[in-house]
Short mmCIF file of all heavy atoms in Angstrom, two decimals:
data_model
loop_
_atom_site.label_atom_id
_atom_site.label_comp_id
_atom_site.label_asym_id
_atom_site.label_seq_id
_atom_site.Cartn_x
_atom_site.Cartn_y
_atom_site.Cartn_z
N SER A 316 -6.88 3.13 15.24
CA SER A 316 -5.57 2.74 14.64
C SER A 316 -5.29 3.31 13.28
O SER A 316 -4.19 3.86 13.05
CB SER A 316 -5.34 1.24 14.65
OG SER A 316 -5.22 0.70 15.92
N PHE A 341 -1.17 3.61 22.08
CA PHE A 341 -2.29 2.91 22.72
C PHE A 341 -1.95 2.44 24.23
O PHE A 341 -2.81 2.48 25.05
CB PHE A 341 -2.89 1.76 21.92
CG PHE A 341 -3.77 2.25 20.79
CD1 PHE A 341 -3.40 2.08 19.54
CD2 PHE A 341 -4.99 2.94 21.05
CE1 PHE A 341 -4.21 2.49 18.46
CE2 PHE A 341 -5.80 3.42 20.09
CZ PHE A 341 -5.38 3.22 18.67
N ALA A 349 -7.40 6.91 33.00
CA ALA A 349 -8.08 7.41 34.16
C ALA A 349 -7.93 8.96 34.29
O ALA A 349 -8.79 9.58 35.01
CB ALA A 349 -7.54 6.72 35.37
N GLY A 391 -0.46 7.62 -2.28
CA GLY A 391 -1.00 6.35 -1.68
C GLY A 391 -1.37 5.30 -2.67
O GLY A 391 -1.88 4.28 -2.36
N ALA A 393 -0.49 2.51 -5.61
CA ALA A 393 0.63 1.59 -5.89
C ALA A 393 1.38 2.13 -7.13
O ALA A 393 0.79 2.65 -8.09
CB ALA A 393 0.03 0.29 -6.25
N ARG A 412 8.89 14.23 1.13
CA ARG A 412 9.14 13.89 2.56
C ARG A 412 10.25 14.76 3.07
O ARG A 412 10.24 15.21 4.24
CB ARG A 412 9.42 12.42 2.71
CG ARG A 412 8.24 11.51 2.52
CD ARG A 412 8.49 10.08 2.99
NE ARG A 412 9.62 9.44 2.36
CZ ARG A 412 9.59 8.73 1.21
NH1 ARG A 412 8.45 8.50 0.64
NH2 ARG A 412 10.68 8.17 0.74
N PHE A 426 0.09 20.51 9.03
CA PHE A 426 -0.01 20.11 7.62
C PHE A 426 -0.31 18.60 7.59
O PHE A 426 -1.16 18.17 6.80
CB PHE A 426 1.38 20.28 6.88
CG PHE A 426 1.30 19.94 5.47
CD1 PHE A 426 0.88 20.79 4.50
CD2 PHE A 426 1.85 18.72 4.99
CE1 PHE A 426 0.80 20.45 3.18
CE2 PHE A 426 1.91 18.38 3.73
CZ PHE A 426 1.33 19.25 2.77
N GLU A 432 -5.07 13.52 7.31
CA GLU A 432 -6.29 13.20 8.01
C GLU A 432 -7.51 14.02 7.59
O GLU A 432 -8.55 13.70 8.00
CB GLU A 432 -6.11 13.30 9.51
CG GLU A 432 -5.33 12.26 10.21
CD GLU A 432 -5.98 10.86 9.92
OE1 GLU A 432 -7.11 10.64 10.38
OE2 GLU A 432 -5.34 10.07 9.36
N LEU A 434 -8.48 16.83 8.51
CA LEU A 434 -9.14 17.39 9.66
C LEU A 434 -9.51 18.89 9.39
O LEU A 434 -8.69 19.57 8.82
CB LEU A 434 -8.30 17.26 10.90
CG LEU A 434 -8.04 15.95 11.50
CD1 LEU A 434 -7.26 16.08 12.80
CD2 LEU A 434 -9.30 15.19 11.76
N ALA A 457 3.31 26.52 6.16
CA ALA A 457 3.80 25.19 5.68
C ALA A 457 3.64 25.05 4.17
O ALA A 457 4.60 24.59 3.55
CB ALA A 457 2.93 24.11 6.36
#
Side-chain angles (χ1 to χ4, degrees):
S316 285
F341 283 113
R412 287 194 306 269
F426 184 81
E432 284 302 298
L434 292 183

